[in-house]
Amino acid sequence: MAAGSSSPTSSSPLFGNASTTSPRVLLAGSPNSGKSTLFNQLTGMRQRVANYPGVTVDLSEGKSLIDGQWHTVIDLPGTNSLNTGSPDERIAIDCLTAEDNSETITVNVIEAARPNEGLTLAWQMAAFGRPQVVVFNFIDEAEKRGVELDASAIEGALGCPVVLTDSIRGRGIEELRIAISRARVERCFLLPLDYPEAVDHAARGFADKMLTHTGQRPSLALARRALLDARSSCGESEWDFASREAALDDGRKTIWKAGLHPYVLETRLAQKRLKQLRHENILPPQLPAHFHPLDRQFLHPLKGPVIFLAIMALLFQSIYSWAGPAMDGIETLFGWLGGVAGDFLSGTPMLQGLVADGIIGGVGSVVVFLPQIVILYALITILEDVGYLSRAALLSDKLFSWCGMSGRSFVPLLSGFACAIPAIMATRTIDSRSVRHTTALLAPMMSCSARLPVYVIIIGVLIEPRFGAFWAGISLLGCHLIGAVVAMGASWIWQRVQNRKSNPIHNTLLMEIPPLRRPKLSNVWHRVSTRAVDFLKTAGTIILAVSILIWAAATFPQVHELPPGAEATTVEEYQFEQSYLAQTGKAIQPIFDPAGFDWKLTVGVVASLPAREVIVATLGTIYGVADADEEHPGLRQALAADTWTEGPRAGQPVLSLASGLAVIVFFAFCMQCWATVAVLWRELGVRSATYAFFGYTAFAWVAAVAVYQVTAALTGIH
Amino acid sequence: MKNGTQLTIRSLREDHPVYPDLVRLGFLPGESLLLGPRPLWGDPVMVSLRDRWYLLRRSELEAMDMEEIG
């Protein structure tokens, strides 16, 4: 059955050279319909999945062996319609409407419990003349709700293969492979919508004008989309604005004259057909939206905010409390390793120092934070999987709307507590360009897991010994809130500036709330283990290299005897004071002196510009070398015991309340992550990324100085 | 309007910034909406359209001219 009227004309830049590629399978459908889990099932890969819109904001590609032939499977961002929405939806729409010479099968994934809605997109896609398969996913969930689907009856009505799957449990995956193969070989097309002649007439007129102005003629399907989509970008880049707008206006007027509404028409046609299918008992009756019993608690006007605050408090409290035994275990392990290595290499003092103080001391001081990072990631993944983050958007909208963001900003920003990179990517779900820009630029202010070791060390020195683990946990929550509070303040100022320029920020909230789902443990395990492996890789590469460099700089030049008149009491102390590291640190320390950082902290801050967690390894190595003649006391104890040796602060602790807060504030704001800068560059452009890097770093310095000076003046301790 | 109120969309304001999004998601004249919970503070409200829940601001609800059903 031939369908659609698109005539393939050129290869698409979205997919590369079509002629050399294997058949492609595009996974399309509404957000939360389970495309990414289906992708994982088909390809055996591990695409990130979560229960909120916008997890897939980029194209993911994998290979799947279908009927003896390799197919390229592409997981598209979720979209409800081919009408243009947020940037992530545009990516999906561009792929679905691209005209190319490739052999492409579209798999339209629909939530089985809500079978009616997703078909609108399937019918819109049918106009582009590609073989299709319709998948009703999460069939187990639908059956529990009493929704019964007859795949063969629906297939007869739609005209293309229909498969029932449960992507979480792997049900129906083999049937899906067979259906994809059948759709490709037998050229199975979905019956398209019956567009009135007035629409096609207007579309042909628009296509003619585009040919005249640009030399390119769009297919009838694309020209229709241009007229029926209020935000269409068809011909935008090659056509001058005024004549394109005039052509669109003319086309839409033709449709209006026929008594049709161009923007509403397709949805009306789709609804009419759905009604007919329900009337013929091919589709089940439409159930009212399911309201989960837990939603009565999560969204309750009083209980909801209490639960929200309790979850946030539990999140940070558990990071501090639950990780303790595992951290102690790792610390003991590395202490033992250092001891064994030290004993084994006692005949070669230089090598002994390198292995025990440089490598084991430096890397061990970072690896010890692995349990906390694992707990943070696991808890955030569970919140994402359950679908709680979208509920939190309802509760947090007020928090964000006053400063020009919205509840939509909450999901990427909370993800930023795990890592800024997916958070910046997730801002693609935000329609408004300015709100998206603001949210992406502020996402690095959320305290990511790489900042955790820094906070934990400072809290471990200043708070925990005096006030206990409970207040240490509360302090950790406070550290994470600093960035969020300042981010909102910055957004408010930005909004005021934009409004003054008579360029008010258009900020909408409208978003779909996904159903609550039980978290999938394998997904939680996968995300947590991936992050843990990444963390260990960083520890084994960048941090190992920096540790060796820092050790070498702290060990050379070698001094073998104490010169007369030296202030140091031992050769080791004198050698450390004269090392290249000490000399460099002392040379640059004046920059950070107003923030109360001594030369060792300054070296740590500078060394951690590529990645924040490097400071811990740097300090671990420095204190390991400095205390080489003593039993290794652990970084926290070494920092707590360290005092200024010279200057007006001589004898005072290096890590006082003032300098400790200054370190926290500096790390809360400084852009010490090259990977984040690179993603900002890609998403927002080089100018924004450059401004962000220098702006954040300068702001961090100013804030650290201000916090130090004010706290020192209040406490009288510098 | 309270949680549980049923409404019918009479018409849409085409000049409202959220209009294209409402149409894209199927908020059309003649459709019924059910108001869901809203937080104690702030103005977002959950709205059920056909078989899905959406989150809108009160200012976005103003893009629809609605009347209460019975």
Side-chain angles (χ1 to χ4, degrees), chain A residues 243-263:
Chain A
S243 58
R244 178 177 173 273
E245 284 297 302
L248 285 171
D249 274 353
D250 283 350
R252 285 169 186 157
K253 271 180 196 157
T254 308
I255 299 172
W256 277 111
K257 274 182 197 161
L260 303 165
H261 190 310
Y263 305 143

Side-chain angles (χ1 to χ4, degrees), chain A residues 80 83 89 114 117 231 261 263 268 271 286-287 290 299 394 397 406 506-511 513, chain B residues 14 17 19 21 23-25 28-29 37 39-42 44 46 50-57 60:
Chain A
N80 290 300
N83 287 358
E89 289 171 313
R114 307 188 287 181
E117 294 301 302
R231 294 170 180 157
H261 190 310
Y263 305 143
R268 288 266 188 242
Q271 291 296 331
Q286 196 158 259
L287 293 173
H290 182 55
L299 301 169
L394 171 82
D397 184 60
S406 73
H506 165 52
N507 179 9
T508 57
L509 175 63
L510 181 57
M511 60 187 280
I513 302 279
Chain B
E14 293 189 24
Y19 170 77
D21 294 310
V23 171
R24 194 162 51 88
L25 295 172
L28 298 179
L40 198 58
W41 59 320
M46 274 177 72
R50 295 188 289 273
D51 55 5
R52 293 180 189 218
W53 283 103
Y54 296 91
L55 188 56
L56 289 98
R57 289 219 181 102
E60 291 166 354

Side-chain angles (χ1 to χ4, degrees), chain A residues 580-641:
Chain A
Y580 295 130
L581 187 77
Q583 289 174 43
T584 313
K586 285 172 185 171
I588 54 175
Q589 188 270 341
I591 300 169
F592 287 94
D593 189 70
F597 298 1
D598 74 338
W599 74 262
K600 293 172 201 164
L601 280 175
T602 301
V603 168
V605 164
V606 173
S608 60
L609 275 175
R612 294 177 178 95
E613 53 270 57
V614 170
I615 188 178
V616 181
T618 307
L619 292 177
T621 307
I622 290 174
Y623 283 103
V625 175
D627 302 326
D629 55 335
E630 297 168 18
E631 194 178 324
H632 205 292
L635 184 52
R636 277 191 224 180
Q637 291 87 333
L639 264 171

Side-chain angles (χ1 to χ4, degrees), chain A residues 320 455-473 475 635-641 655 657:
Chain A
Y320 211 92
Y455 296 158
V456 169
I457 283 208
I458 306 294
I459 291 169
V461 171
L462 297 175
I463 307 292
E464 197 183 3
R466 288 181 221 173
F467 304 104
F470 176 77
W471 286 105
S475 307
L635 184 52
R636 277 191 224 180
Q637 291 87 333
L639 264 171
L655 208 61
L657 182 63

